[in-house]
Amino acid sequence: MENRLKELKKATKKLQILNQNQRANLIQKIADAIENNIAKIIEANAIDLQNAKNLSPALQDRLKLDEVRIKALADGIRDIAMLKDPIGKIHDGWSAKSGLKIEKISVPLGVIAMIYESRPNVTAEVAALAIKSANGCALKGGKEAINSNLAIASIIKNSLGEYGGCIEYFDISRDEVLEFIRMDRYIDLVVPRGGEGLVKFVSANSSVPVLKHDKGVCHIYVHKAANIQKALDICVNAKCSRPGVCNAAECVLVDESIAANFLPLLKARLDKFSVKIHGCQKSVNIINCLEATDKSYYNEYLDFELNLKIVGSLDEALDHIDEYSSGHSEAIISDDYAACEEFLSRVDSACVYANASTRFSDGGEFGFGAEVGISTCKMHARGPVGVDELTTYKYIIRGQGQIR
């Protein structure tokens, strides 16, 4: 493992010499290679899907790759190639009292280690984002997607030719992962993207800086001034369009002044997807649902399952979100401009919406092409992590013989 990481770091230095057009061409080659090997990827993915029969339908959906999704993946990678170059940006520049000319410029982080579960599209997306930002990439996917990941990683390395060494896939055990995340001599950033257990394990054991992609306990607050039809559409989309992803809603908060009217309508829409509802006592008195416990509101279900709570005010909704949110994405549905602005200002999450679905918390939807993850940290990067967040900076100082 150490030798492979050492070689990866060397290959990364070679990548960093390339200009933005040369790196963009490498990314285009990845997209073309993926599109030219659709059958190979589907064949490998079929093995993973067969082995995943015990997973929920929502988690199987995260794992699945078909022709439509693979072509969309290739298109997304081409979008990454066309993004503005994040390297070499001059953030600031000034003359010091000594006469030194100082510039603060963006540079690559170095080698990024990505540890992730399920979604094999991440293998290609992260590789493309890493190359765009002139970083090397060490990939470690979950066992449930091993065949898909190995196929995609092989296709990527072959497409890169002499630069293939800047992307390495590590098929290693959990014990080896412990060693992996302590290789701070070769790795500059670790990004865990998966379940709560994975994120906690990496955060607790890594000697490399960690950018957490934590769980997504996302909320939608239906305010008393909400447009009911709009609220129904957004709630159903946020929960049911893809319940197995981290930007899906896990809890809907409803103002008590509209609950008696709104909840039966919401339940009727959710019943079409067979959503299991856990509600507070007030909710149980209005609709037929399971009674939620206090612990229920911490759950990230990643399935057709949802928490409900009736709240008496905007302040009560904000208090609930403050207590139970994972800091990922929250939304308010309201035609009251002042209420929306107060919500946007006071909610302390990475992505905060007014009158839109939390499902938009996504690198592609934000115009980033894709993302390494949705960071719930507050340092360095927050929300969808695109190419700009995969850079750091250094100071370039030019003098004329000054001494101190």
Side-chain angles (χ1 to χ4, degrees), residues 15-30 77-78 80-87 128 131-134 160 163:
L15 174 69
Q16 291 171 352
I17 297 171
L18 300 181
N19 62 39
Q20 62 171 319
N21 290 332
Q22 291 170 316
R23 283 184 275 116
N25 287 337
L26 290 179
I27 298 169
Q28 293 281 6
K29 288 180 179 179
I30 292 175
I77 290 171
R78 292 188 181 100
I80 293 170
M82 300 304 293
L83 293 173
K84 291 181 180 179
D85 189 12
I87 304 303
I131 292 172
K132 183 67 181 182
S133 52
L160 294 175
Y163 298 100

Side-chain angles (χ1 to χ4, degrees), residues 269-285:
R269 292 281 297 271
L270 294 174
D271 282 348
K272 294 178 182 178
F273 295 89
S274 301
V275 175
K276 185 186 295 184
I277 300 173
H278 305 261
C280 63
Q281 183 58 59
K282 290 180 180 178
S283 301
V284 172
N285 293 337

Side-chain angles (χ1 to χ4, degrees), residues 19 21-22 48-49 56 64 66 76 83 89 99 109 161 172 202 208 214 227 248 261 272 312-313 317 323:
N19 62 39
N21 290 332
Q22 291 170 316
D48 292 329
L49 288 172
S56 70
K64 183 179 179 180
D66 55 23
L83 293 173
K89 287 183 180 178
L109 285 167
I172 53 179
V202 173
V208 181
D214 217 337
N227 176 295
N261 176 41
K272 294 178 182 178
S313 64
E323 173 63 29

